[in-house]
Amino acid sequence: MLELRDIDVGYGQAQVLRQFSLNVEPGEIHCLMGRNGAGKTTTMKAIMGILPLSAGSILVGGVESNAVPAHKIPGLGIGYVPQGRRLFSELTVAQNLDIGLMAKGSNAGRSSKVLKGVLEVFPRLRERMEQRAQTLSGGEQQMLATARALCIEPDYLLLDEPTEGLQPSMIESIKQVAVKMRDRGVGVLLVEQHIKSVLSMADRVTFIENGRSRETVKPDDLRQDGTLLQKYVGL
Amino acid sequence: MDFGPYLILASLEGAVAASVLALTAVGLSLVFGVMRVVNVAHGEFFMLGAVLAWFVASSIGGHPALGFVAALLVAPVLVGGLAAAVDMTVLKRVAYDPERTIVATIGILYIIQQVTLMTYGPDARPVTPPFNTRLAIPWFEFADGRVQMYWPWGLSTTSYKLFVIAAAAIMLLAVWLMMTRSKIGLVMRATQLDSEMAQAFGIPVERVYAMVFGIGCGLAALGAVLIVPIQQAHYLMGTDPLLLSFIVVIIGGLGSLPGTVIAALLIGMSDGIISVFYTPTLAKILSTLLVAFVLVFRPQGLFGTRERE
């Protein structure tokens, strides 16, 4: 289980998360929802060790990840697809995937089974391997960002606004990947504003407000009680 | 001597200067490109390479080539190791903050310079070149209706100067291969492009920084070892390489290795040629003016890319 226990996180003096708690079970899609600035991306960054905790702890499969150097966190089995993709823009598709494979510690490189599996999920990337990441379309960039994270063979996958700015067919394809990962036993933590996507694939939804976790509900609860979305997301 | 042979001579001198400058400036550019650190102490690491080369070469007896080869192997490694230690003990502590690292490297500059003065002294000392055969250069003239070859008096170079050009070219090729073809180069480029994401994908960014700082300063030291049989080692010799490296890196484009090499050739050659025909001071004035024009009309440098907002 990926477990966040009462974590406090901030940027310098500005505290964003306050005693924030959340857990993601293996084989579930757990969606984190809230208004802009509520602390969703900060939560992702805290899990990846990009932002240090000032209190609390994060456990990945029982290992306290905030006690290990930040660069070792992916090795605990966490794949990260950040908001805005943040690809290594001047590197080729193949080199971006190499970075993911290196994080896994795979020495097989481009001939590895892991990469073959990832390219089966995103066959379009196979045709673009020597193309620079910055020359890909928005949808292809999202595929690459997701593929790079999958190269780690993660036990937990963090998806931060993966459908932002994508056309409907691409949104569907990203959703399918998230569902496929869940079916393989991967725990997916999803930050998503696209409410239809959330209702169609999430197993649980946690609402975050002013850096605190408020309520964790099932998608059915959202369908029945429209006030929750109004209260925490403003929809 | 006629203008033609004189120009050849000046160009050869310029090529030697350009070769060493390219190595030194590539080191500075690598550090800035990957770490976003302006290393004001870069010239002192250059000087330290020359001084260590003198220590190593003078402590080894026998043929001068033995001492020189030992210096070529030992000095850059020692300087690189020291630079990596400086990174871990100073730059890491100021969190690689752009402003604070400038102040920190100014401090490092004075520490290295003054420690060298206290231990090595104020004298300029030479390292004997491993070989130094004088090579006459032929010239051609049109006389009696045909082209004739002759050997103008004073038109010559040395085998060692040609070696400096070749060695620098080989090292620059090695750096390019490392950056574009090796796993470590891939890691450095990923760190340069987005250090946060590099860390999120298992790259030990701080170790990469220490390595890059070591390699960057080691390259400066290597340039110094190559030039010290021509220029002599002196505790104040780091100022000119620092100034010229900054000029080259700004003209070439901050962090652009191909741009740095091309700008080094441009500045080094023009510095050599103008110094021979006029004065070294005029060469520096023109280089600085060129920087001013580049900063006004193309702030990202000739080969740099404009950073996105």
Side-chain angles (χ1 to χ4, degrees), chain A residues 75-96:
Chain A
L76 298 175
I78 300 188
Y80 181 36
V81 183
Q83 186 178 23
R85 297 138 201 163
R86 292 182 67 176
L87 296 168
F88 301 111
S89 57
E90 289 179 22
L91 301 185
T92 64
V93 169
Q95 287 170 331
N96 270 276

Side-chain angles (χ1 to χ4, degrees), chain A residues 113-125:
Chain A
K113 280 184 185 173
V114 180
L115 184 58
K116 281 179 187 156
V118 169
L119 292 175
E120 276 168 20
V121 178
F122 299 107
R124 201 187 296 184
L125 292 179

Side-chain angles (χ1 to χ4, degrees), chain A residues 50 70-71 74 80 86 102-103 148, chain B residues 187 194 196 199-203:
Chain A
I50 294 169
H71 71 272
Y80 181 36
R86 292 182 67 176
M102 278 155 59
R148 182 178 62 175
Chain B
V187 163
D194 191 334
E196 242 178 43
Q199 185 176 274
F201 281 87
I203 293 173

